[in-house]
């Protein structure tokens, strides 16, 4: 029996390299959304068609169509923007989206609430700022993350450059994005259009890459399809340990889907990482499951065929085989918040952004503050605005006077960085009301839950203890909850699966501890765990490591 290819494979094959009928559909303003095929193809161009789920009941009662809108996600490898680019995005958020900017867990920005008539204008504004949304979503290599802040050291700069090179190398070659959204004319004649790496049907599913610089694992190297861990000697990157086969997505009630941490499969010299990445990606292109999208990620290809087979296939495709992995050590996977100073004497502020949402809300006017900072004379031409992999922001390359001015601007706009370690390290996906997959709240709920959990921690003198807490509204795992010390995965409205025991450095999966728990049940489950941790932990032992050592939850 021959398995039938998934419908998405047919859509891609018929799309004329991701064009489909998108150009025509965008011109139909009477309908706020797109066709079913259009919904799939527009993802390759960095967008999802969504609707406001808070409005669904009332609109259905009035027999109105859903309140459709577009989410657009930027491609910004390594997360680095100039202040002028950031100001252009700030204006775009106000003029074409819902007035907010969302920092993602893939070190980039996404905009919500773009109505159909504003899509082209929004993307043209990005293009004018030398930015785009190409391949930010879809069955391709997505935004490539790198250790935050390339200005901290030569190794950080080299990691950021590696991310940019990976992004450029695996960028789809089709001209569809510029033709559909920017207005470029298709060039006819000459060589037929082709995708030399992907082919006409691209990858079976999304593909994610990262580049880390130890001791920080801020990019969560074990949670992605392919990661490179910089091996640094005399301040420079001499090569990379290679990690493959990570992935967070799963489906409730379907045990054949599951999160997986990647395997360290070897080491490559610094001049070989592109070749290694192409070998790994093309193995997934050739052998990934194109019949069942729920099992179409690289992690399932490796588990189905075996890690030894995978390593042998990489060797077959490389001119220079991988060497044995070299030693490395991670100390954590959070962001460095507060001020740091580089070798040039310039200052960099790691700024906490709760749940990644940049907005003006009441007395806390973060969006206005950041625009004011980015627009300062002098700083606008020298500074840098950098997204982190953990939904925070770095205001980079400020001189002494600008540092003082930045602190004043933040204070006058109601921004305080006096937050608990638990809150500072927490991640949340967007979930309701815009994500069509969300089963429960996340971004809108996590801040209040953290307040309750912080109260529990204070009872046991653990208020200053760093514990990673991540919440998602569904099991797809966008906020990487399965490698958190405490993970909350939406199951039903107001109810979550509680996972505990992930490694503090992101190298180990956590385990299911309570299923379908509401807030009271979550707090009741955590309270005795915090009491036991406070009493029995070893010196310097992280919460997740204690839970794992004590075998309080099943070890995956």
């Amino acid at each position: 029996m021959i398995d039938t290819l998934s419908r998405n494979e047919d859509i891609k094959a018929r799309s004329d390299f991701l064009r489909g009928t998108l150009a025509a559909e965008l011109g139909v303003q009477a309908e706020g959304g797109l066709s079913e095929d259009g919904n799939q193809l527009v993802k390759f161009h960095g967008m999802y068609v969504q609707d406001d789920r808070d409005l669904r009941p009332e609109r259905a009662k009035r027999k109105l169509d859903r309140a459709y809108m577009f989410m657009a996600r930027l491609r910004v490898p390594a997360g680095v923007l100039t202040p002028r680019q950031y100001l252009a995005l700030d204006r775009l958020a106000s003029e074409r989206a819902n007035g907010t900017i969302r920092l993602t867990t893939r070190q980039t920005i996404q905009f919500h609430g773009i109505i159909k008539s504003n899509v082209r204008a929004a993307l043209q504004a990005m293009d004018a700022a030398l930015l785009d949304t190409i391949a930010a979503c879809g069955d391709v290599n997505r935004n490539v993350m790198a250790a935050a802040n390339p200005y901290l050291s030569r190794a950080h700069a080299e990691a950021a450059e590696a991310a940019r090179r990976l992004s450029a190398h695996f960028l789809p070659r089709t001209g569809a994005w510029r033709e559909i959204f920017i207005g470029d004319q298709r060039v006819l004649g000459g060589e037929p259009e082709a995708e030399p790496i992907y082919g006409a049907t691209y990858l079976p599913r999304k593909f994610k890459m990262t580049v880390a610089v130890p001791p920080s694992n801020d990019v969560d190297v074990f949670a992605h399809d392919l990661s490179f861990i910089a091996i640094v000697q005399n301040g420079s990157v001499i090569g990379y340990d290679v990690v493959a086969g990570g992935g967070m997505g799963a489906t409730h009630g379907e045990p054949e889907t599951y999160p997986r941490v990647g395997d360290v499969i070897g080491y490559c010299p610094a001049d070989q990482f592109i070749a290694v990445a192409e070998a790994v990606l093309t193995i997934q292109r050739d052998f990934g499951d194109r019949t069942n999208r729920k099992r179409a990620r690289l992690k399932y290809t490796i588990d189905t065929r075996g890690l030894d087979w995978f390593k042998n296939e990489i060797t077959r495709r490389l001119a220079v085989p991988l060497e044995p992995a070299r030693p490395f050590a991670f100390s954590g996977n959070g962001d460095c918040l507060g001020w740091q100073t580089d070798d040039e004497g310039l200052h960099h502020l790691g700024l906490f952004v709760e749940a990644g949402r940049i907005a003006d809300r009441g007395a806390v006017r973060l969006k206005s503050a950041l625009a004011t900072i980015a627009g300062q004379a002098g700083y606008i031409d020298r500074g840098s605005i950098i997204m982190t992999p953990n939904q925070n922001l770095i205001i980079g390359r400020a001189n002494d006077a600008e540092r003082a001015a930045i602190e004043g601007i933040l204070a006058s706009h109601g921004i305080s960085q006096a937050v608990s370690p638990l809150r500072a390290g927490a991640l949340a996906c967007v979930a309701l009301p815009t994500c069509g997959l969300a089963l429960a709240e996340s971004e809108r709920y996590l801040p209040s839950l953290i307040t309750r959990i912080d109260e529990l921690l204070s009872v046991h003198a653990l208020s200053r203890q760093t514990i990673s807490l991540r919440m998602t509204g569904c099991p797809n795992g966008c906020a990487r909850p399965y490698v958190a010390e405490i993970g909350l995965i939406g199951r039903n409205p107001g109810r979550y699966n509680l996972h505990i025991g992930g490694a503090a450095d992101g190298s180990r999966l956590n385990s299911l501890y309570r299923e379908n728990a509401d807030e009271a049940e979550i707090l009741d489950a955590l309270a005795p765990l915090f009491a036991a941790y406070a009493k029995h932990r070893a010196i310097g032992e992280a919460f997740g490591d204690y839970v794992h050592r004590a075998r309080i939850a099943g070890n995956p």
Side-chain angles (χ1 to χ4, degrees), residues 336-372:
C336 182
L337 301 179
W339 286 103
Q340 292 180 286
T341 303
D342 63 25
D343 292 340
E344 296 181 55
L346 294 174
H347 309 291
H348 308 261
L349 175 63
L351 184 71
F352 169 67
V353 180
E354 188 151 51
R357 184 69 66 174
I358 297 173
D360 286 347
R361 290 174 174 163
V364 180
R365 295 176 293 131
L366 179 58
K367 183 173 181 293
S368 294
L370 291 172
T372 301

Side-chain angles (χ1 to χ4, degrees), residues 23-33 116:
E25 290 187 52
L26 284 171
V28 181
Q29 297 303 321
E31 298 176 4
K116 192 176 185 180

Side-chain angles (χ1 to χ4, degrees), residues 151-358:
Y151 302 105
L152 286 183
S153 72
R154 186 193 310 169
H156 284 78
E158 290 168 346
E161 179 60 21
R164 286 188 285 269
R165 288 183 59 192
L166 287 166
S167 181
H169 187 78
F170 295 106
L171 197 66
R173 297 298 184 252
T174 173
W177 188 85
R178 297 201 62 83
E179 295 164 21
I180 296 167
F181 303 104
I182 309 304
D184 288 6
Q185 295 297 309
R186 186 172 188 176
V187 178
L188 300 176
E191 292 293 322
E193 191 167 31
E195 289 284 6
I197 294 176
Y198 291 114
T201 53
Y202 298 85
L203 297 178
R205 280 289 265 119
K206 59 189 171 185
F207 198 93
K208 297 180 178 181
M209 298 185 189
T210 72
V211 186
V213 179
S216 174
N217 185 24
D218 55 354
V219 298
D220 270 327
V221 294
F222 301 103
H224 307 282
D225 296 275
L226 177 63
S227 292
F228 295 91
I229 302 171
I231 304 301
V232 181
Q233 191 174 93
N234 298 323
S236 292
V237 177
I238 61 168
Y240 298 93
D241 278 351
V242 183
V243 183
M248 294 288 95
T251 302
H252 288 315
E254 298 186 20
E256 67 274 16
T257 69
Y258 46 82
R260 185 185 192 277
V261 291
D263 296 288
V264 180
I265 60 172
Y267 166 88
C268 69
D271 61 354
Q272 294 295 312
F273 75 96
I274 293 289
V276 172
E278 185 164 327
V280 173
L281 182 141
T282 56
I283 289 172
Q284 175 62 0
R285 178 198 66 194
D286 296 343
F287 294 100
D289 190 342
R290 292 181 183 265
T291 67
N292 180 1
R293 288 182 65 79
K294 291 183 179 181
R295 284 184 54 86
R297 295 288 297 276
L298 177 63
K299 60 184 177 180
Y300 300 117
T301 306
I302 292 174
D303 283 350
T304 298
R305 294 178 175 268
L307 187 60
D308 287 341
W309 171 89
F310 179 67
K311 291 179 178 179
N312 289 335
E313 187 64 23
I314 291 174
T315 299
R316 191 181 71 80
R317 295 176 185 230
L318 288 176
V320 180
L322 293 174
E323 302 172 23
R326 300 196 179 186
F328 65 88
F330 288 128
S331 59
N333 60 352
D335 286 339
C336 182
L337 301 179
W339 286 103
Q340 292 180 286
T341 303
D342 63 25
D343 292 340
E344 296 181 55
L346 294 174
H347 309 291
H348 308 261
L349 175 63
L351 184 71
F352 169 67
V353 180
E354 188 151 51
R357 184 69 66 174
I358 297 173

